[in-house]
Amino acid sequence: MWHDMTALQLGREIAGGVIDPVDLAEHFLERIATLDAEGRIFIRLSEDRTRAEAQAARRRQRQGAGRGPLDGVPVSWKDLVDVAGVETTMAARALEGRVPERDGVLLQRATQAGTVFLGKTNMTEFAFSGLGINTTHGTPANAHDTTVDRIPGGSSSGAGVAVARGLGPIAIGSDTGGSVRIPASLNGVVGLKTTIGALPMDGVMPLASLFDTIGPLTADVADAAAMWSVLSGRPMADLDGARITGKRLVAVASPMWRGIDEGIDHACRQALSRLEAAGADVEWQDVDEFAQAMDVAGRLITTDAWSRWSGVVSDRPDRIFPFMLPRFLSGKAQAGHEVLEILRELDSLAGRLHRRMGGCDALVAPTVRIGAPRIADLLDDEKAYREANAGMLANTTPGNLLKVCAVTLPCGKDASGMPAGLMLMQRPGREEALLRLAGAVEAAGTTQLPS
């Protein structure tokens, strides 16, 4: 079925005249209507736009005027990317009624490349949590537990679930402290965290402008590479012939393997063993820069978020999720001179880390240390909510603070049968090299999409 195919496979079939882009768009709209009837995954559709863009792709195909490998392929967008004429509110009740007049720059680029706008996906309100819980629109349940509603991961919750459940081949998310990688990991898909500043953020509603990035969630590495090329305007990473033999990987023993769930630990270690068997050189090291960054700047994202949203939070506190409100308010604590001192220290730590990374092909760690808790267990227990959120963000946020690019790949299952993710990290601006390495990991049979 079309929903089991990758984006590039769909693009090739469209280009070859085998798949009609209009039929493909209708296929995914019907799946969304059937499998997301409550609107917890997709919170806004624009079916007229979807159909019009699919019809334009059909005309291009018939005229032999395709715009690239993703022409005619549906793509969903997190509800913080502006879509002209469509309410865009970061899925937050406090921002209801905000309707932008023009598309964000990245959506403009994707439309020019021929992709078809599929709809707006759900997210944590204001993108301010790694759990994915949303009490305004409802929380999309994790795609891999059919008996219990577990968190999807956040903040790009709808994006991760949409790809995992076959409601669209590519979803665009954002990552400020892990918000692409966490839902990708928990839902068993690929997620690319791009370098800060690599993509234009015009038309993207910010959480913390110092650290916000945009990236795709996809079924495989090739799709991530194709969408990265569309968003960045850079040539697509060459994945042909990518092999893991001779690659040097540094497993981040501390802090990223500390306090890890036993099942996730086993899945990630097994993945590294398979890579070693395929010819990789895996070396375990403590990477103190990550822990130091969290010690120095663990609250900086919160401070940045408060500087951006203090007016809305102060004016409409009753419209903010109660467990989120104290975190927003804590952003008042750091004075301006403290922020500048922290930024200088982060620059120093980032320089040290990037020099260390120059000696290997990637740093490697579990994407998330803990399994996905039940949604119900977190809705009425603020302490459990805070602890779970901290656990979700522990391995991903240091990369944002220290400006790396990163990708998460599914690498097996934890003890409860839920997906586990393996994260690869590289120096800033090296997305193509990172994606080629991720392709080599994939080719080595390390990635295992949970069934």
Side-chain angles (χ1 to χ4, degrees), residues 50-386:
T50 300
R51 293 184 171 113
E53 292 183 353
Q55 288 164 0
R58 171 198 274 171
R59 289 193 294 272
R60 289 193 297 273
Q61 189 279 326
R62 291 178 176 177
Q63 295 166 1
R67 294 180 175 176
L70 296 180
D71 197 343
V73 175
V75 176
S76 66
W77 295 78
K78 186 176 181 177
D79 188 42
L80 48 60
V81 178
D82 282 349
V83 179
V86 178
E87 192 175 25
T88 303
T89 65
M90 300 181 90
R93 196 156 55 102
L95 299 174
E96 286 177 346
R98 180 185 179 276
V99 180
E101 295 181 356
R102 59 181 61 85
D103 290 345
V105 169
L106 293 176
L107 177 53
Q108 293 176 27
R109 289 182 177 183
T111 303
Q112 183 62 34
T115 68
V116 172
F117 174 79
L118 187 56
K120 306 297 290 294
T121 53
N122 201 357
M123 57 182 286
T124 307
E125 297 174 45
F126 294 96
F128 204 24
S129 167
L131 300 173
I133 288 175
N134 186 299
T135 56
T136 297
H137 297 281
T139 302
N142 189 293
H144 288 280
D145 193 329
T146 58
T147 59
V148 175
D149 282 355
R150 296 186 180 276
I151 66 160
S155 63
S156 307
S157 53
V161 177
V163 175
R165 296 196 64 186
L167 301 185
I170 296 177
I172 303 302
S174 69
D175 194 312
T176 305
S179 293
V180 164
R181 290 161 291 163
I182 294 168
S185 176
L186 295 190
N187 287 281
V189 301
V190 173
L192 175 65
K193 177 241 180 285
T194 60
T195 301
I196 294 170
L199 297 176
M201 301 298 284
D202 299 357
V204 178
M205 300 180 73
L207 169 62
S209 301
L210 290 171
F211 305 105
D212 292 342
T213 64
I214 293 292
L217 295 87
T218 61
D220 67 2
V221 174
D223 280 0
M227 196 65 209
W228 159 249
S229 177
V230 166
L231 295 175
S232 66
R234 286 154 58 166
M236 182 173 166
D238 180 10
L239 306 185
D240 290 343
R243 295 290 180 268
I244 200 67
T245 304
K247 300 298 183 182
R248 181 169 180 258
L249 308 177
V250 172
V252 183
S254 176
M256 292 185 174
W257 242 277
R258 292 189 320 215
I260 187 172
D261 284 1
E262 183 177 350
I264 296 174
D265 176 57
H266 178 73
C268 290
R269 287 179 185 270
Q270 286 291 102
L272 291 182
S273 294
R274 291 193 293 272
L275 291 176
E276 286 184 301
D281 175 19
V282 178
E283 177 182 340
W284 290 78
Q285 291 183 12
D286 294 341
V287 181
D288 296 336
E289 290 86 354
F290 286 131
Q292 291 171 25
M294 292 296 281
D295 290 342
V296 166
R299 291 188 303 164
L300 190 56
I301 291 174
T302 300
T303 301
D304 197 352
W306 173 255
S307 74
R308 176 62 180 84
W309 295 109
S310 58
V312 171
V313 174
S314 299
D315 291 346
R316 304 177 183 178
D318 58 316
R319 291 180 167 237
I320 307 297
F321 179 49
F323 294 174
M324 189 179 292
L325 186 58
R327 191 173 177 214
F328 261 125
L329 295 175
S330 71
K332 299 178 180 181
Q334 288 179 324
H337 72 277
E338 293 176 320
V339 171
L340 294 176
E341 291 168 2
I342 289 168
L343 290 173
R344 284 194 291 269
E345 181 65 19
L346 282 181
D347 281 344
S348 176
L349 288 170
R352 281 168 42 192
L353 178 69
H354 300 164
R355 288 191 291 275
R356 177 198 289 265
M357 296 174 82
C360 66
D361 291 286
L363 301 182
V364 185
T367 308
V368 177
R369 298 183 201 178
I370 62 174
R374 293 165 17 119
I375 295 171
D377 292 342
L378 304 181
L379 289 177
D380 298 315
D381 188 335
E382 185 172 356
K383 182 174 182 291
Y385 177 95
R386 289 198 313 268

